[in-house]
Amino acid sequence: MNNALISISGKASQLYCHSLAGLFEQTRQKQRMTVSISTRHLPDRILPRKFSISNKIPDTKGCLKCCVVRNPYTGHKYLCGAFQSGVVLLEWVEPMQKFMLVKNVDFQPLCPLEVLELLVVPEQPYPLICVGLSKGTQPNQPVSFQTLDPNSSCPTPPDTDTTLPDSEKPQSCVIHITHLERDTVLVCLDRCIEIVNLEGKQKFSKKLSPELTFNFQIESIGKLSAFFSEPRNAIQWAVKVGSLFIQMI
């Protein structure tokens, strides 16, 4: 699954898998304004599937949100998609070069669906599907993950009832969640960023502060890629406030 891009595209909001190498080559050919006829200029539908730049992932129309993760313990890659009636978990099969369905979980997601992230748990074949956050109930536990367990024969959906106590209600203003390392998860709320473990407890280390607070509202957060030499384990992030990006190291 190297050099692949997953998107929700088209009028039907379907999941697609794109070849980044193919997309870059296609752009390069267009920029050169070549008039030669090659397979790169033929419609994808008449090319063999393995040569196609973009491929639909079957049975994924109406997708609301998606996420991907690589299991660091096994190397397996997973794709999760959320729909009006539930979520699906797919696994990348290298010999077939495509995603295959491994689990379909009936679940009525919140509207709008703010949270969808895969959390890899040691000694479990499939990652947990995080569909929400609630406030933590223990010291140094700012959040608690609301998850679906695809490893269970009958996954139990988290309770999203508005009559629940405040500590159990879904957390609002969740900007972003990402599984950084084996036991490190970044949670971005509207005015703070929490570094926690898989139990939602703050993770203390010499390199990362477990909590960063701001006096402004965060709109988005993204990981920065650099083309210069730097330590492999360095993590760079930028938060967006209006048109302003603030870099954090």
Side-chain angles (χ1 to χ4, degrees), residues 16 89 116 123 131 155 164 176 206 243:
Y16 279 75
L89 182 67
L116 184 69
E123 301 177 358
V131 293
L164 291 171
H176 183 77
K206 295 180 180 179
S243 59

Side-chain angles (χ1 to χ4, degrees), residues 15-141:
L15 285 172
Y16 279 75
C17 185
H18 310 275
S19 166
L20 286 177
L23 290 174
F24 281 124
E25 177 65 15
Q26 187 181 67
T27 302
R28 189 178 69 87
Q29 290 291 332
K30 288 181 179 180
Q31 290 175 344
R32 290 177 58 184
M33 299 293 291
T34 180
V35 296
S36 61
I37 298 176
S38 70
T39 57
R40 297 185 186 91
H41 299 90
L42 296 176
D44 285 350
R45 63 178 178 270
I46 66 174
L47 289 175
R49 182 185 179 89
K50 64 180 180 179
F51 296 122
S52 179
I53 294 175
S54 300
N55 290 307
K56 295 180 181 179
I57 299 177
D59 304 320
T60 58
K61 289 183 178 179
C63 187
L64 304 173
K65 202 176 184 73
C66 69
C67 60
V68 294
V69 75
R70 177 186 178 274
N71 188 321
Y73 305 99
T74 65
H76 296 165
K77 292 102 174 176
Y78 297 95
L79 167 65
C80 180
F83 302 83
Q84 291 288 354
S85 59
V87 295
V88 297
L89 182 67
L90 304 100
E91 182 177 354
W92 179 258
V93 181
E94 193 66 34
M96 301 178 69
Q97 289 291 294
K98 67 177 181 179
F99 282 102
M100 299 292 291
L101 179 68
V102 295
K103 200 76 174 185
N104 192 335
V105 182
D106 291 332
F107 168 67
Q108 187 69 40
L110 292 174
C111 185
L113 180 62
E114 293 184 329
V115 177
L116 184 69
E117 183 65 25
L118 293 173
L119 303 177
V120 177
V121 179
E123 301 177 358
Q124 293 286 357
Y126 302 129
L128 301 181
I129 304 170
C130 180
V131 293
L133 286 181
S134 59
K135 294 181 180 179
T137 57
Q138 302 178 23
N140 296 326
Q141 185 192 27

Side-chain angles (χ1 to χ4, degrees), residues 60-248:
T60 58
K61 289 183 178 179
C63 187
L64 304 173
K65 202 176 184 73
C66 69
C67 60
V68 294
V69 75
R70 177 186 178 274
N71 188 321
Y73 305 99
T74 65
H76 296 165
K77 292 102 174 176
Y78 297 95
L79 167 65
C80 180
F83 302 83
Q84 291 288 354
S85 59
V87 295
V88 297
L89 182 67
L90 304 100
E91 182 177 354
W92 179 258
V93 181
E94 193 66 34
M96 301 178 69
Q97 289 291 294
K98 67 177 181 179
F99 282 102
M100 299 292 291
L101 179 68
V102 295
K103 200 76 174 185
N104 192 335
V105 182
D106 291 332
F107 168 67
Q108 187 69 40
L110 292 174
C111 185
L113 180 62
E114 293 184 329
V115 177
L116 184 69
E117 183 65 25
L118 293 173
L119 303 177
V120 177
V121 179
E123 301 177 358
Q124 293 286 357
Y126 302 129
L128 301 181
I129 304 170
C130 180
V131 293
L133 286 181
S134 59
K135 294 181 180 179
T137 57
Q138 302 178 23
N140 296 326
Q141 185 192 27
V143 299
S144 178
F145 297 109
Q146 297 179 331
T147 60
L148 298 167
D149 186 1
N151 301 288
S152 170
S153 59
C154 186
T156 303
D159 200 337
T160 56
D161 191 346
T162 56
T163 62
L164 291 171
D166 289 343
S167 61
E168 298 180 23
K169 288 181 181 179
Q171 183 78 270
S172 59
C173 299
V174 180
I175 307 300
H176 183 77
I177 297 177
T178 188
H179 198 162
L180 295 178
E181 297 173 351
R182 298 192 176 196
D183 191 35
T184 305
V185 182
L186 182 147
V187 178
C188 179
L189 304 176
D190 57 345
R191 290 181 181 270
C192 72
I193 294 173
E194 303 281 358
I195 305 296
V196 299
N197 60 20
L198 292 172
E199 296 178 350
K201 295 181 179 180
Q202 288 183 328
K203 182 130 185 223
F204 296 88
S205 70
K206 295 180 180 179
K207 296 181 180 180
L208 286 176
S209 171
E211 184 178 54
L212 297 172
T213 58
F214 304 90
N215 59 0
F216 51 78
Q217 186 168 348
I218 301 171
E219 292 185 5
S220 62
I221 181 171
K223 189 174 181 180
L224 301 178
S225 297
F227 294 95
F228 48 84
S229 177
E230 62 176 285
R232 288 176 64 99
N233 60 351
I235 300 174
Q236 293 190 339
W237 293 84
V239 297
K240 182 183 178 186
V241 189
S243 59
L244 174 66
F245 286 88
I246 300 177
Q247 182 174 347
M248 303 177 299

Side-chain angles (χ1 to χ4, degrees), residues 5-23:
L5 172 69
I6 304 297
S7 73
I8 301 175
S9 306
K11 294 181 179 179
S13 297
Q14 185 163 1
L15 285 172
Y16 279 75
C17 185
H18 310 275
S19 166
L20 286 177
L23 290 174

